[in-house]
Amino acid sequence: MPGYLKPGSARSSAAFPQAFAYGRAICYSGYRHGQRPGSEYPSDAEIAEDLEILNGAWQYLRLYDASPHAERVLDVIDKRGYSFKVMLGTGLHAEVNNPECPWIKELPRKELIANRTGNDRSLSRTIELAKRYPEIVSSLSIGNEASVSWNDHMVPLDRLISMAAKAKAEVEQPVTFCENYVPWPNKLRPLAEILDFLSVHSYPVWEYQGIETALDYTKENYYAVANTYPDKPVIITEAGWTTASNGRGITPDNANENLQKTYLKELLNWADRNRIITFVFEAFDESWKGSPDPEEPEKHWGIYREDRTPKAAVADLPEFR
């Protein structure tokens, strides 16, 4: 039986039918060319166009923060009567330096202190939106990849625990934290104890896996967590395949639309059979991400291109449409 269906505490999956009913799930960030977080946000009309594309094929959306973009998405869903259920996230910044992060220098103490205050505001904003849209927001995440060894926005474990406790005390929805599979069995045990469910990320292509071993690798990642916590619901909140690479971390021959199509078809067939909610990463390409190189892999995880035309995974597989 998949881990996410197993009952745990009083706030177990049985208590949250809206959050745990099985459905297809996808990560959504609607930033188009020239737009980026903290600068220019997608308009209501652009968001409505995106949701119309996704409507019907996907039941769950994942949003990463409580920014104006997320607020607009929730408002459009509400006003237009879409049936999407949303996992609403909290955007976090580094509260301590992480010397294991390969791409960022040490941050000054003043900035780290300001980030802590900002993180508290971000969580409060996420809680406020979850309360404002209780029929749409079906779960709340206190953060994303803020504890794995290589991250650039490290938040101490005790802070994550206090954030989870605050969220659980203030919202009716179940509370989680979204993280790479590695920290869950050991480092994050104290956090896992108080969360309502656990959310796992798996990226075989980032870890030098070919398509022949990709699904088995994701299954191994998932069950490493689910079997550690047999009484906790466990879902996957990121799994995907980039369609381009400049060689940074992923060889170019291991990044194309046909490989994405194959991996996602196998992934979702497995998720359907086992009724494991699995958020595909992601809906649309986002050119603001990563380096200026147009072949930067961070820019190309969408199943739709930035101009909203479908890639092979959508065009060739009717179950995605």
Side-chain angles (χ1 to χ4, degrees):
M1 180 181 293
Y4 90 93
L5 289 176
K6 296 179 180 178
S9 65
R11 287 171 61 95
S12 71
S13 58
F16 302 107
Q18 176 177 261
F20 292 98
Y22 182 72
R24 289 280 177 91
I26 195 164
C27 301
Y28 171 58
S29 184
Y31 295 97
R32 302 180 185 219
H33 183 71
Q35 300 173 342
R36 61 186 304 120
S39 178
E40 183 177 349
Y41 297 99
S43 67
D44 287 6
E46 289 169 331
I47 291 167
E49 179 186 359
D50 290 348
L51 297 185
E52 195 60 39
I53 291 170
L54 301 175
N55 189 40
W58 307 93
Q59 288 74 56
Y60 292 96
L61 302 180
R62 181 182 172 202
L63 303 177
Y64 281 77
D65 55 32
S67 68
H69 176 42
E71 183 174 10
R72 288 178 184 176
V73 173
L74 295 170
D75 188 58
V76 171
I77 292 172
D78 183 43
K79 288 180 177 176
R80 296 192 174 226
Y82 288 115
S83 60
F84 295 112
K85 299 302 180 185
V86 171
M87 172 184 281
L88 184 62
T90 306
L92 300 179
H93 292 89
E95 295 188 7
V96 294
N97 280 301
N98 180 15
E100 294 185 59
C101 178
W103 63 83
I104 193 169
K105 63 182 180 180
E106 184 171 323
L107 299 173
R109 182 170 180 272
K110 183 177 181 180
E111 183 173 342
L112 296 174
I113 293 172
N115 286 348
R116 179 181 174 119
T117 301
N119 288 344
D120 287 336
R121 286 197 298 265
S122 294
L123 179 61
S124 295
R125 180 66 172 160
T126 303
I127 289 170
E128 191 274 321
L129 287 180
K131 290 179 176 179
R132 192 192 308 175
Y133 296 97
E135 300 303 316
I136 298 172
V137 176
S138 61
S139 62
L140 184 155
S141 171
I142 61 165
N144 183 70
E145 293 184 347
S147 68
V148 70
S149 63
W150 41 257
N151 86 78
D152 61 6
H153 52 285
M154 185 71 77
V155 176
L157 179 59
D158 63 333
R159 281 281 289 158
L160 294 174
I161 291 171
S162 69
M163 289 177 181
K166 175 179 173 62
K168 288 182 63 172
E170 295 196 30
V171 302
E172 298 295 327
Q173 298 94 328
V175 174
T176 191
F177 174 62
C178 300
E179 185 56 278
N180 179 275
Y181 67 93
V182 173
W184 281 116
N186 297 299
K187 178 181 179 179
L188 294 181
R189 276 183 177 270
L191 177 62
E193 289 180 5
I194 70 166
L195 292 172
D196 295 311
F197 67 105
L198 312 184
S199 297
V200 178
H201 296 175
S202 174
Y203 285 108
V205 70
W206 271 128
E207 299 194 54
Y208 311 106
Q209 301 294 311
I211 197 64
E212 300 83 6
T213 58
L215 181 62
D216 284 342
Y217 195 75
T218 291
K219 290 161 65 176
E220 179 183 322
N221 298 165
Y222 172 80
Y223 286 114
V225 181
N227 291 339
T228 300
Y229 303 98
D231 295 322
K232 281 282 181 181
V234 180
I235 70 171
I236 295 174
T237 42
E238 286 186 22
W241 202 277
T242 189
T243 57
S245 178
N246 57 3
R248 188 188 70 84
I250 299 170
T251 59
D253 63 350
N254 205 26
N256 60 59
E257 291 190 21
N258 287 330
L259 293 175
Q260 183 190 63
K261 178 180 73 172
T262 298
Y263 175 66
L264 293 182
K265 181 177 182 180
E266 293 179 355
L267 175 72
L268 291 180
N269 284 343
W270 168 74
D272 286 346
R273 288 195 306 271
N274 292 278
R275 301 186 68 76
I276 297 170
I277 295 175
T278 298
F279 284 81
V280 169
F281 188 85
E282 63 179 325
F284 302 100
D285 284 351
E286 297 183 82
S287 62
W288 69 270
K289 290 185 172 180
S291 72
D293 189 327
E295 296 299 295
E296 161 71 48
E298 293 285 4
K299 302 178 187 296
H300 297 283
W301 293 87
I303 61 171
Y304 292 88
R305 303 178 189 91
E306 192 174 45
D307 65 3
R308 275 45 188 171
T309 56
K311 295 183 184 179
V314 179
D316 296 349
L317 298 174
E319 61 263 38
F320 291 154
R321 296 201 290 269

